[in-house]
Amino acid sequence: MRYGGVIVGLFVLYHIMHLTVGNAHPEFIRHSAYHNVVTGFQVWWVSGFYIVAMIFLGLHLYHGLWSVTQTFGVENPRI
């Protein structure tokens, strides 16, 4: 969970820099979302980073939902 949270935080930072602000995207065009996404994902390591980040985001959310069910006693009812 510790590393997943760090990777999710780094992903959010990179995502904002890459597709919102444009300072991590060499061909960024303001207000052209389609162009920015298509040209941004043509770089293999950017696509790989997004894939790895989505895997960690899914694991992070899965663990969070599992933890909520434990906290509220859904998975572990009191006897």
Side-chain angles (χ1 to χ4, degrees), residues 19-63:
L19 295 176
T20 305
V21 179
N23 56 358
H25 191 302
E27 298 178 26
F28 183 80
I29 298 174
R30 189 176 170 114
H31 302 298
S32 181
Y34 179 79
H35 169 77
N36 294 334
V37 169
V38 170
T39 57
F41 286 119
Q42 287 178 348
V43 180
W44 70 268
W45 61 268
V46 172
S47 299
F49 177 73
Y50 270 89
I51 290 168
V52 170
M54 289 297 115
I55 290 169
F56 275 101
L57 178 63
L59 291 171
H60 187 77
L61 292 174
Y62 172 78
H63 177 76

